mmCIF file of all heavy atoms in Angstrom:
data_model
loop_
_atom_site.group_PDB
_atom_site.id
_atom_site.type_symbol
_atom_site.label_atom_id
_atom_site.label_comp_id
_atom_site.label_asym_id
_atom_site.label_seq_id
_atom_site.Cartn_x
_atom_site.Cartn_y
_atom_site.Cartn_z
ATOM 1 N N ILE A 19 -86.205 -95.078 -41.048
ATOM 2 C CA ILE A 19 -87.516 -95.820 -41.237
ATOM 3 C C ILE A 19 -88.420 -94.888 -41.962
ATOM 4 O O ILE A 19 -88.671 -93.744 -41.607
ATOM 5 C CB ILE A 19 -88.124 -96.167 -39.835
ATOM 6 C CG1 ILE A 19 -87.196 -97.267 -39.214
ATOM 7 C CG2 ILE A 19 -89.529 -96.631 -39.947
ATOM 8 C CD1 ILE A 19 -87.605 -97.788 -37.840
ATOM 9 N N GLY A 20 -88.797 -95.372 -43.120
ATOM 10 C CA GLY A 20 -89.662 -94.576 -44.029
ATOM 11 C C GLY A 20 -89.093 -94.540 -45.410
ATOM 12 O O GLY A 20 -87.983 -94.986 -45.630
ATOM 13 N N ASN A 22 -89.525 -96.142 -48.242
ATOM 14 C CA ASN A 22 -88.982 -97.423 -48.793
ATOM 15 C C ASN A 22 -89.120 -97.456 -50.274
ATOM 16 O O ASN A 22 -90.118 -97.138 -50.904
ATOM 17 C CB ASN A 22 -89.747 -98.577 -48.154
ATOM 18 C CG ASN A 22 -89.481 -98.725 -46.721
ATOM 19 O OD1 ASN A 22 -88.438 -99.112 -46.299
ATOM 20 N ND2 ASN A 22 -90.492 -98.345 -45.933
ATOM 21 N N HIS A 77 -97.607 -103.277 -49.407
ATOM 22 C CA HIS A 77 -98.754 -102.979 -48.545
ATOM 23 C C HIS A 77 -99.013 -101.441 -48.586
ATOM 24 O O HIS A 77 -98.246 -100.709 -49.067
ATOM 25 C CB HIS A 77 -98.710 -103.526 -47.163
ATOM 26 C CG HIS A 77 -97.629 -102.917 -46.342
ATOM 27 N ND1 HIS A 77 -96.260 -103.075 -46.611
ATOM 28 C CD2 HIS A 77 -97.622 -102.142 -45.210
ATOM 29 C CE1 HIS A 77 -95.540 -102.502 -45.681
ATOM 30 N NE2 HIS A 77 -96.364 -101.947 -44.778
ATOM 31 N N HIS A 79 -99.146 -98.990 -46.349
ATOM 32 C CA HIS A 79 -98.650 -97.993 -45.424
ATOM 33 C C HIS A 79 -97.916 -96.877 -46.193
ATOM 34 O O HIS A 79 -97.267 -97.072 -47.189
ATOM 35 C CB HIS A 79 -97.646 -98.621 -44.425
ATOM 36 C CG HIS A 79 -98.376 -99.207 -43.168
ATOM 37 N ND1 HIS A 79 -97.913 -100.260 -42.506
ATOM 38 C CD2 HIS A 79 -99.558 -98.861 -42.590
ATOM 39 C CE1 HIS A 79 -98.725 -100.534 -41.484
ATOM 40 N NE2 HIS A 79 -99.711 -99.685 -41.544
ATOM 41 N N ASP A 81 -95.185 -95.327 -45.718
ATOM 42 C CA ASP A 81 -93.805 -95.444 -45.937
ATOM 43 C C ASP A 81 -93.555 -96.501 -47.068
ATOM 44 O O ASP A 81 -92.369 -96.639 -47.430
ATOM 45 C CB ASP A 81 -93.085 -95.863 -44.673
ATOM 46 C CG ASP A 81 -93.465 -97.117 -44.005
ATOM 47 O OD1 ASP A 81 -94.659 -97.401 -44.054
ATOM 48 O OD2 ASP A 81 -92.632 -97.834 -43.454
ATOM 49 N N HIS A 82 -94.552 -97.110 -47.572
ATOM 50 C CA HIS A 82 -94.395 -98.073 -48.690
ATOM 51 C C HIS A 82 -95.074 -97.606 -49.943
ATOM 52 O O HIS A 82 -94.682 -97.985 -51.085
ATOM 53 C CB HIS A 82 -94.821 -99.430 -48.301
ATOM 54 C CG HIS A 82 -93.960 -99.999 -47.244
ATOM 55 N ND1 HIS A 82 -92.982 -100.913 -47.428
ATOM 56 C CD2 HIS A 82 -93.959 -99.657 -45.853
ATOM 57 C CE1 HIS A 82 -92.373 -101.151 -46.287
ATOM 58 N NE2 HIS A 82 -92.924 -100.399 -45.321
ATOM 59 N N HIS A 145 -99.311 -108.139 -40.263
ATOM 60 C CA HIS A 145 -98.701 -106.769 -40.045
ATOM 61 C C HIS A 145 -99.816 -105.907 -39.437
ATOM 62 O O HIS A 145 -100.754 -106.465 -38.808
ATOM 63 C CB HIS A 145 -98.218 -106.260 -41.345
ATOM 64 C CG HIS A 145 -97.467 -104.939 -41.268
ATOM 65 N ND1 HIS A 145 -96.533 -104.681 -40.349
ATOM 66 C CD2 HIS A 145 -97.466 -103.834 -42.095
ATOM 67 C CE1 HIS A 145 -96.059 -103.496 -40.489
ATOM 68 N NE2 HIS A 145 -96.604 -102.946 -41.612
ATOM 69 N N ASP A 167 -93.031 -105.557 -44.582
ATOM 70 C CA ASP A 167 -93.206 -105.392 -43.189
ATOM 71 C C ASP A 167 -94.038 -106.625 -42.653
ATOM 72 O O ASP A 167 -95.095 -106.889 -43.295
ATOM 73 C CB ASP A 167 -93.988 -104.132 -42.891
ATOM 74 C CG ASP A 167 -93.232 -102.842 -43.177
ATOM 75 O OD1 ASP A 167 -92.081 -103.013 -43.666
ATOM 76 O OD2 ASP A 167 -93.719 -101.797 -42.912
ATOM 77 N N ASP A 199 -87.138 -106.556 -42.997
ATOM 78 C CA ASP A 199 -87.575 -105.633 -41.972
ATOM 79 C C ASP A 199 -86.696 -105.733 -40.674
ATOM 80 O O ASP A 199 -86.546 -106.753 -40.062
ATOM 81 C CB ASP A 199 -88.984 -106.012 -41.624
ATOM 82 C CG ASP A 199 -89.757 -105.081 -40.662
ATOM 83 O OD1 ASP A 199 -89.073 -104.229 -40.053
ATOM 84 O OD2 ASP A 199 -90.972 -105.263 -40.509
ATOM 85 N N THR A 201 -87.040 -103.174 -38.146
ATOM 86 C CA THR A 201 -87.616 -102.152 -37.268
ATOM 87 C C THR A 201 -87.418 -102.492 -35.765
ATOM 88 O O THR A 201 -87.072 -101.680 -34.966
ATOM 89 C CB THR A 201 -89.099 -101.999 -37.530
ATOM 90 O OG1 THR A 201 -89.259 -101.931 -38.926
ATOM 91 C CG2 THR A 201 -89.649 -100.770 -36.899
ATOM 92 N N HIS A 371 -94.241 -105.130 -36.313
ATOM 93 C CA HIS A 371 -92.925 -105.575 -36.776
ATOM 94 C C HIS A 371 -92.376 -106.700 -35.916
ATOM 95 O O HIS A 371 -92.641 -106.790 -34.735
ATOM 96 C CB HIS A 371 -91.981 -104.402 -36.835
ATOM 97 C CG HIS A 371 -92.438 -103.331 -37.831
ATOM 98 N ND1 HIS A 371 -92.184 -103.355 -39.161
ATOM 99 C CD2 HIS A 371 -93.195 -102.217 -37.548
ATOM 100 C CE1 HIS A 371 -92.796 -102.288 -39.685
ATOM 101 N NE2 HIS A 371 -93.398 -101.585 -38.763
ATOM 102 N N HIS A 393 -85.207 -101.428 -43.865
ATOM 103 C CA HIS A 393 -86.276 -100.948 -43.002
ATOM 104 C C HIS A 393 -85.826 -100.741 -41.598
ATOM 105 O O HIS A 393 -86.394 -101.362 -40.667
ATOM 106 C CB HIS A 393 -87.474 -101.851 -43.109
ATOM 107 C CG HIS A 393 -88.837 -101.191 -42.850
ATOM 108 N ND1 HIS A 393 -89.107 -100.760 -41.526
ATOM 109 C CD2 HIS A 393 -89.904 -100.883 -43.623
ATOM 110 C CE1 HIS A 393 -90.307 -100.216 -41.579
ATOM 111 N NE2 HIS A 393 -90.809 -100.296 -42.834
HETATM 112 ZN ZN1 LIG B 1 -92.856 -99.940 -43.212
#
Side-chain angles (χ1 to χ4, degrees):
I19 290 180
N22 294 287
H77 65 294
H79 273 152
D81 61 321
H82 296 259
H145 187 42
D167 291 3
D199 187 349
T201 316
H371 299 276
H393 204 290

